[in-house]
Amino acid sequence: MMRILIADDDALSRTLLERTLRLAGYEVTVVDNGRSAVEQLCCQDGPRLALLDWVMPELDGPAVCREVRQKKEQPYVHMVLLTSKESKQDVVEGLESGADDYLVKPFDVAELKARLRTGLRILQLEDRLVEAREDMRFKATHDPLTGLFNRGVIVDLLAREVTRSHREGSCSVVLLADVDHFKAINDTRGHVVGDVVLKEIANRILGSVRSYDYVGRYGGEEFLVVLNNCDVSLSQSRAEQIRLAIASPPVQTPWDPIPVTMSLGVLATKDCGLLSVEEIIHEADAALYKAKAAGRNCVKFANPPCHQPSNPRNLTPASS
Amino acid sequence: MQVRQPSSEPAVNLDELLARVDNDRELLRDLVVIFKHDFPRQITALQRAIAESDLKTTERASHTLKGMFLSLSAPHAVAAAIRLEQLAGAQDIEALPIALKRLENEGALLLPELEVHLGKIE
């Protein structure tokens, strides 16, 4: 049921409109001044259709339109001025204030309903456009298989996070992770199973990080994780947590469970001065290579130009 | 000032009003109750505003009454409210008391007629 706001300081007019619109199937909210109208229309999930009288206490109808139009972040509100002011000058002023339509009192019921249906069509069109835009935005920023950020976005997010952590003197931890022997899974079980494995790995990584960390698919079976504002001393345990989440239990597929492990290269931004994003990824990749060389299913930390922390953080491979 | 008598033209355009309320007796009754309550209040506000030469309040209150009379399909009362609103807008302070008297008269004619109509609706 579509919600509509009626703002009118005349109780008789409010009652008439309210009854008419309820019978027409609207869920009606009624206020008797312009300030309350703005509050209703600008609140989250407020009505998106409004019938506004012109002359009202506190704020008149055109002022309501102007205030609502200034709130650009909210969904579009279709506003109709319904007033006994009927000169051309009034109509122009009302529409210029941001109203979508203008009706003169006394209203004709059929015309009022038809105009509101026009408003509904416009709102529905807007909803479809916003939905299409959001869909395109998601497709442009996310990996279609895993739903994670795609490579371009995760690298941008890393760049922003590196800049922020330098500015604030905090530390972010970068993990470059690669599924071990993934080619063998694809070759022996097929790409459909390989896709199932990648999706499950994405879910497990997401389940192992905080809601404000970033996870992206960097390449085929490579994932880039940015742990925002993460203390250096915790980087080892956080990386290990992700590794363990991947290693067990085996990934369930429609055919059979598949044991999967992952190697991770880790870098803490605080340890490596002012490296560029490309250099950070390069260093994380070198650490990942070390993890692969060390037998896989393990976490290795980046070497200089990122200097090693005092605590040993290179982990021996778990049994796999 | 010419004062319209109850026996002259009807104060309410009944066909138009019934179409507006969709022959809903309860709705019409509610509107009449609101009118009974709000009309004297607005008239009191107008009397005070005119006595104090408060043109802004006079214009606003007469505009509100105009809207009320439009909803009730009361053309003579609408005309009286428009006249008062225009005089206030034109700052014609001397003409306001007579225009107010006309408005009071039209409003007074309206109520009994509305109640008669209300009794006729099934």
Side-chain angles (χ1 to χ4, degrees):
Chain A
M1 188 185 290
M2 190 66 187
R3 293 177 62 199
I4 187 165
L5 177 81
I6 296 168
D8 199 320
D9 63 333
D10 171 17
L12 197 143
S13 182
R14 283 200 306 272
T15 303
L16 187 54
L17 281 168
E18 183 180 3
R19 192 78 62 94
T20 302
L21 294 179
R22 279 196 202 285
L23 284 174
Y26 290 90
E27 184 184 335
V28 182
T29 302
V30 180
V31 295
D32 63 2
N33 68 77
R35 177 52 59 201
S36 299
V38 171
E39 286 167 7
Q40 285 287 332
L41 294 174
C42 293
C43 77
Q44 199 173 14
D45 299 324
R48 294 181 61 202
L49 265 180
L51 271 177
L52 307 170
D53 187 20
W54 186 303
V55 179
M56 287 188 287
E58 300 194 42
L59 273 184
D60 63 20
V64 172
C65 293
R66 281 190 289 272
E67 284 211 16
V68 171
R69 290 290 175 249
Q70 281 173 0
K71 314 268 184 190
K72 295 189 190 306
E73 71 278 7
Q74 66 178 44
Y76 194 79
V77 179
H78 187 87
M79 293 180 286
V80 181
L81 279 171
L82 177 59
T83 171
S84 51
K85 284 176 173 282
E86 55 187 328
S87 73
K88 287 285 177 205
Q89 190 183 340
D90 291 329
V91 175
V92 171
E93 187 185 338
L95 294 173
E96 291 288 356
S97 73
D100 297 285
D101 204 353
Y102 195 104
L103 276 171
V104 175
K105 289 179 182 175
F107 64 87
D108 176 84
V109 175
E111 184 183 0
L112 175 67
K113 289 178 183 172
R115 300 247 190 183
L116 292 177
R117 280 195 294 273
T118 303
L120 282 174
R121 284 199 297 275
I122 291 169
L123 291 178
Q124 285 162 357
L125 177 63
E126 201 240 357
D127 286 346
R128 287 204 298 274
L129 289 172
V130 168
E131 195 180 329
R133 185 193 66 195
E134 291 306 310
D135 188 45
M136 281 190 288
R137 195 201 304 271
F138 187 87
K139 283 175 178 162
T141 55
H142 289 74
D143 170 55
L145 177 67
T146 62
L148 299 177
F149 290 124
N150 63 24
R151 180 182 178 126
V153 171
I154 190 67
V155 170
D156 283 348
L157 289 169
L158 171 61
R160 273 169 35 190
E161 189 54 27
V162 166
T163 304
R164 190 191 64 78
S165 53
H166 281 322
R167 188 176 63 243
E168 297 176 358
S170 59
C171 179
S172 296
V173 173
V174 182
L175 298 93
L176 193 59
D178 186 88
V179 183
D180 296 329
H181 301 301
F182 183 70
K183 185 173 182 302
I185 296 173
N186 267 343
D187 288 348
T188 58
R189 292 179 166 91
H191 287 85
V192 173
V193 175
D195 286 351
V196 171
V197 169
L198 288 175
K199 281 196 267 190
E200 176 60 16
I201 286 173
N203 286 335
R204 291 190 190 185
I205 296 175
L206 281 176
S208 306
V209 299
R210 301 160 301 181
S211 58
Y212 50 91
D213 292 328
Y214 302 131
V215 182
R217 188 175 177 196
Y218 189 68
E221 67 268 28
E222 274 190 317
F223 299 86
L224 185 60
V225 182
V226 184
L227 305 176
N228 303 315
N229 233 341
C230 178
D231 196 272
V232 181
S233 62
L234 295 174
S235 55
Q236 178 176 315
S237 60
R238 300 290 307 283
E240 188 65 5
Q241 195 178 347
I242 293 172
R243 186 189 68 77
L244 289 170
I246 302 303
S248 87
V251 173
Q252 293 296 326
T253 72
W255 298 273
D256 55 354
I258 302 173
V260 179
T261 62
M262 182 171 252
S263 303
L264 295 96
V266 182
L267 176 145
T269 59
K270 207 165 189 176
D271 286 343
C272 59
L274 291 169
L275 290 185
S276 68
V277 169
E278 291 75 18
E279 289 168 326
I280 286 172
I281 293 173
H282 177 77
E283 292 302 323
D285 196 31
L288 170 61
Y289 182 81
K290 281 197 300 180
K292 292 285 186 186
R296 297 181 170 82
N297 190 23
C298 64
V299 177
K300 293 290 180 185
F301 282 77
N303 280 325
C306 309
H307 55 266
Q308 292 278 7
S310 52
N311 291 330
R313 292 185 295 184
N314 288 357
L315 303 177
T316 52
S319 58
S320 60
Chain B
M1 179 185 68
Q2 281 191 325
V3 177
R4 209 167 55 82
Q5 297 302 312
S7 55
S8 57
E9 291 176 59
V12 177
N13 181 335
L14 185 61
D15 290 343
E16 190 181 286
L17 178 58
L18 291 178
R20 184 163 301 123
V21 298
D22 199 20
N23 285 303
D24 184 337
R25 180 193 171 91
E26 289 304 312
L27 175 55
L28 185 55
R29 185 187 301 282
D30 288 348
L31 298 185
V32 170
V33 167
I34 292 168
F35 177 71
K36 268 185 182 174
H37 176 264
D38 276 14
F39 179 65
R41 204 165 52 88
Q42 294 290 350
I43 290 296
T44 303
L46 276 170
Q47 287 167 342
R48 190 181 305 123
I50 290 171
E52 294 170 358
S53 299
D54 179 351
L55 295 170
K56 195 174 172 185
T57 303
T58 304
E59 193 174 6
R60 176 185 288 257
S62 48
H63 179 85
T64 301
L65 277 172
K66 178 176 74 176
M68 196 183 291
F69 293 138
L70 282 167
S71 297
L72 291 171
S73 297
H76 301 294
V78 168
I82 289 173
R83 176 71 179 149
L84 190 58
E85 185 183 11
Q86 286 173 340
L87 289 171
Q91 303 186 353
D92 190 347
I93 293 172
E94 287 185 5
L96 293 178
I98 295 173
L100 174 61
K101 204 70 195 164
R102 180 184 161 204
L103 183 63
E104 287 179 47
N105 180 55
E106 291 296 348
L109 292 176
L110 191 55
L111 191 57
E113 204 172 304
L114 281 171
E115 286 183 325
V116 168
H117 290 321
L118 193 57
K120 288 179 187 169
I121 302 172
E122 288 183 4

